[in-house]
Structure formats: C-alpha cells, structure tokens
Amino acid sequence: MSDQAKDERAPDEAEKTEAAAEPREGGVDGDYEALVRLLKENEELKDRALRVAADMENLRRRTARDVHDARAYAVANFARDMLSVSDNLRRALDAIPEEAKASGDAGFKALIDGVEITERAMLSALERHGVKKLEPEGEKFDPNFHQAMFEVPNPDVPANTVVQVVQPGYSIGERVLRPAMVGVAKGGPKHAASEAPVEPGPVNEQAEKDA
C-alpha cells in the first residue's frame, strides 16, 4: 500500500478511536449521576420511613391514652347520677331525730341500719371504680375541687382554709365529678409563701340554694 493511502486511512482510524472512547466516558458520567440519584432517593425514602414510624408511635400513644381514659372514666356519667341517690340516703339519715334513734324501737333501728348499709355499699362500689369522696375540711382551698359557698371570719386559721364542708365532693381519677361545697376562712394569716395564693372567688348563691 502506498504512503498516500496510509495517510488517507490514518485520520479515519483516529476518528473511529475517538468515537469509541466517547461512549465509555459518557457511560461513567451516567453511572455517577444514577448513583447520586439513587442515594438521594434512598435518603428521601429513609426520611419518609422515619416520619411514618414517628406518626405510628404517636398514634399508638394516643390510642393507649384514649383506651386508658375510656376505662378510667367510662362510669363517670353513671357515677355522677348515683351521687344524687347517695345524697338522698344521707339526707334521709340526717333527717331522723336523735330521740327517734334512741327510742329503742327494733323495727325502726333495723330500717336505719339498712339505709346506712346501703349508703356504705354504694360508696364502696363507686370507690372500686375509681370514685373518691372529697371531704377537705382543714385543707387549703382548691378551686379545682372545691366550690366556695361562704366565708367565715377566723383570725386563728390561715386564710382560704376550708373550715366547713356543706356537701362532700367526688372525683374520679384526676377529674372532678362534683366539687365539694365548702366554707372558707378569712382574716387569718396567709399560707406559706411557697404556696401560690388561691382566692375562693365569689360565693355561689345558686349552689347554696341547691345544697
């Protein structure tokens, strides 16, 4: 083959070599971009999975709390209705004159004992279901559980101390079923400085009538 023919073929072979090299270089770039894209997608999926897991954990906690509250407070409305029955039993007992109780009549005494036993059994049943009786005499007034009916001037007792319970209250768990209707002291020394002062608020005249 002449030198001229070789010279003519040389550029063609060089172009073919460059053309063959270009796809390999492009392939490396494409693989790198694909790897970056996959890593990014992996991070997004991981972040999404973590958010879903957090949402499920929050849902589990809310569900557990709702189930607990449902169990603890399911009888709240029923217990509140039963309190009026207990109140009526107590009123019936308080209405019996002392002389009648001391008369010695066996039938009358059996009736009184039966009413007292019924009242105790009802309160015991309510207590087994988480209902607690509130008789806060001598305690500091708590507006969350007590309702002030009147104030009693007494310089010897710290102000805002419950000095009389007109009607006992009841709570279930951490909730109040019915606040205790109380009278509070005024004019005495304040409670310890570490305790925030609590004002009993205005006297509830309507509640006083109901009592």
Side-chain angles (χ1 to χ4, degrees), residues 2 5 10 40 45 47 85 108 119 133 135 153 163 175 179 196 198 207:
S2 65
K40 183 177 180 181
L45 290 173
D47 183 63
V85 179
F108 192 64
E119 181 194 30
K133 191 175 184 179
E135 293 184 295
V163 293
R175 301 179 185 178
V198 179

Side-chain angles (χ1 to χ4, degrees), residues 34 59 78-79 81 89 102 108 110 115 138 188:
L59 178 60
F78 175 76
D81 291 339
L89 291 173
F108 192 64
V115 175

Side-chain angles (χ1 to χ4, degrees), residues 160-178:
N160 294 333
T161 297
V162 176
V163 293
Q164 184 178 347
V165 178
V166 178
Q167 185 181 66
Y170 292 87
S171 64
I172 180 169
E174 298 179 354
R175 301 179 185 178
V176 62
L177 272 177
R178 186 181 73 188

Side-chain angles (χ1 to χ4, degrees), residues 11-199:
D12 292 341
E13 291 176 355
E15 290 177 359
K16 290 179 181 179
T17 302
E18 292 177 359
E22 287 178 359
R24 287 197 296 271
E25 294 177 358
V28 172
D29 292 340
D31 291 343
Y32 177 76
E33 291 176 358
L35 178 60
V36 171
R37 184 171 63 253
L38 289 174
L39 290 174
K40 183 177 180 181
E41 291 176 356
N42 184 60
E43 289 297 323
E44 292 175 352
L45 290 173
K46 184 186 297 184
D47 183 63
R48 189 181 305 171
L50 290 174
R51 287 199 301 269
V52 170
D55 291 341
M56 292 301 296
E57 178 62 17
N58 291 334
L59 178 60
R60 185 192 65 79
R61 291 178 180 176
R62 285 196 302 270
T63 302
R65 184 173 61 249
D66 291 343
V67 170
H68 174 270
D69 289 348
R71 290 175 178 172
Y73 304 115
V75 298
N77 291 334
F78 175 76
R80 191 176 292 109
D81 291 339
M82 288 299 99
L83 295 182
S84 61
V85 179
S86 177
D87 291 340
N88 289 333
L89 291 173
R90 175 44 48 186
R91 291 189 185 103
L93 292 170
D94 292 341
I96 301 173
E98 289 298 326
E99 55 271 19
K101 294 180 180 179
S103 65
D105 184 276
F108 192 64
K109 185 177 184 304
L111 176 61
I112 295 174
D113 291 343
V115 175
E116 289 178 341
I117 291 172
T118 302
E119 181 194 30
R120 288 196 299 269
M122 177 174 292
L123 293 178
S124 177
L126 290 173
E127 187 173 353
R128 286 197 301 272
H129 288 84
V131 178
K132 180 181 177 182
K133 191 175 184 179
L134 304 176
E135 293 184 295
E137 187 170 348
E139 299 177 5
K140 183 181 178 182
F141 177 81
D142 185 347
N144 296 312
F145 293 93
H146 311 150
Q147 182 171 323
M149 305 294 295
F150 52 85
E151 293 180 322
V152 180
N154 190 335
D156 299 326
V157 177
N160 294 333
T161 297
V162 176
V163 293
Q164 184 178 347
V165 178
V166 178
Q167 185 181 66
Y170 292 87
S171 64
I172 180 169
E174 298 179 354
R175 301 179 185 178
V176 62
L177 272 177
R178 186 181 73 188
M181 297 181 181
V182 302
V184 296
K186 72 172 183 177
K190 294 183 179 180
H191 283 273
S194 59
E195 299 179 359
V198 179
E199 295 297 331

